[in-house]
Amino acid sequence: MKYLDEYRDHRIARALAAEIVRSTTRPWVLMEICGGQTHTIMRYGLDELLPREIEVVHGPGCPVCVTPLETVDKAIALALRPEVILVSYGDMLRVPGSHSDLFRAKAQGADVRIAYSPTEAVKIARANPDRKVVFLAIGFETTAPANAMAAWQAQREGLTNFSMLVSHVLVPPAIRALMVSSTNRVQGFIAPGHVCTVMGCNEYESLVRDFRVPIVVGGFEPVDILEAVLMLIKQLEAGEERLENQYVRSVSMQGNVPAQQIMAEVFEIADQKWRGIGPIPRSGLRLRAEYAAYDADRVFQLGEMTVDEPAECISAQVLQGLKKPTNCPAFGMRCTPENPLGAPMVSSEGACAAYYHYRRHAVAK
Ligand code: SF4
């Protein structure tokens, strides 16, 4: 299949790995932001093809993992109301809240339904005018346009029984927060190609300039990741820092302008709490006042909640690239995909799930 087979070709991958080895003269710490890229690295054992000098750490780009515990608790509380149909992406059902999860709420009789797109939730609202349908709208810039479109569509149709519990996060403020942290070790970033397909690359120029850190926008196949690593290493070894785009088959500088327009019509930038990490200024999206009637937080007057993460879970450090999943004492013992203590063990983009599924119980570097 064109645009897929050549990016999984082991000969190309090995040639890139050999060039990375030849180009590397000293230690470097690189971070891939996106959980999809983490899974590619673990699934194909790409880290084992790299020289020992290169350490790849995993970033906070797993939308399910960074959705605050409070949002999960709010979703469970809403789902347990008899008048509510709670609609969610499937990944969110097993994510532990402070005492339960949506899967258990469903087992207790809550009407929790899985959707593959937010427009399905709008359809459910249309078909159930006597119920209140709440869509759990989470994710990065990639899911924001479709979620915005759902609110726009509901408003256009005058639906009064549809709302969204919104927890949207943005990548560039997260990179900024990592770079200003006193514990940061990252010297180069692979930026998420799907986010940049929507948003373009312009936002990353200021990060390169402000922190003098190279950033390469990368794709999700093994050859994409290795090529992005090589592009970063060449810059680092030459003492340069630029924004480069490895994922040219999908990403342009300006991105998808109509998608950005619908996002800007429905959402505005707001401070956002990230699960495990804490609040990051201007790192999220919330519904604009014109869409307040579709904001489940306001409709149901959910108010503020503060809950503590399980003490044993070190996901905060995993999501900031400070620890690997296998450094967690609970990994594979008290925390498994069947009985997760933290979201990174549940999500299809979670780093702990990647290490668990690909049986990488020992980390060499
Ligand atoms: S293995 Fe489980 S407990 Fe440990 S960091 Fe990952 S999700 Fe948290």
Side-chain angles (χ1 to χ4, degrees), residues 271-303:
D271 297 345
Q272 173 71 30
K273 184 174 180 187
W274 295 54
R275 186 170 188 172
I277 297 174
I280 302 178
R282 297 178 60 75
S283 68
L285 297 173
R286 69 178 169 212
L287 286 161
R288 288 187 179 279
E290 298 88 316
Y291 286 85
Y294 302 95
D295 184 344
D297 252 310
R298 297 192 209 194
V299 171
F300 294 93
Q301 300 184 331
L302 296 173

Side-chain angles (χ1 to χ4, degrees), residues 29-43 45-48 50 54-62 65-66 174-175 178 184-186 188-190 225 277 314-327 331 344 349-356 358 360 362-365:
V29 179
L30 310 180
M31 174 181 276
E32 87 283 357
I33 290 289
C34 175
Q37 293 165 331
T38 307
H39 275 250
T40 300
I41 290 167
M42 300 311 296
R43 180 176 175 190
L46 301 184
D47 52 336
E48 293 183 348
L50 300 176
I54 298 178
E55 182 182 0
V56 180
V57 296
H58 318 304
C62 159
C65 306
V66 298
I175 294 181
L178 288 170
N184 176 56
R185 300 165 57 227
V186 180
F189 289 94
I190 302 177
I225 306 274
I277 297 174
I314 62 161
S315 64
Q317 294 165 73
V318 172
L319 290 165
Q320 295 175 78
L322 302 173
K323 293 253 168 92
K324 297 276 173 75
T326 41
N327 298 135
F331 176 84
E349 295 187 67
C352 301
Y355 275 70
Y356 189 89
Y358 303 115
R360 308 292 300 284
V363 178
K365 57 186 178 182

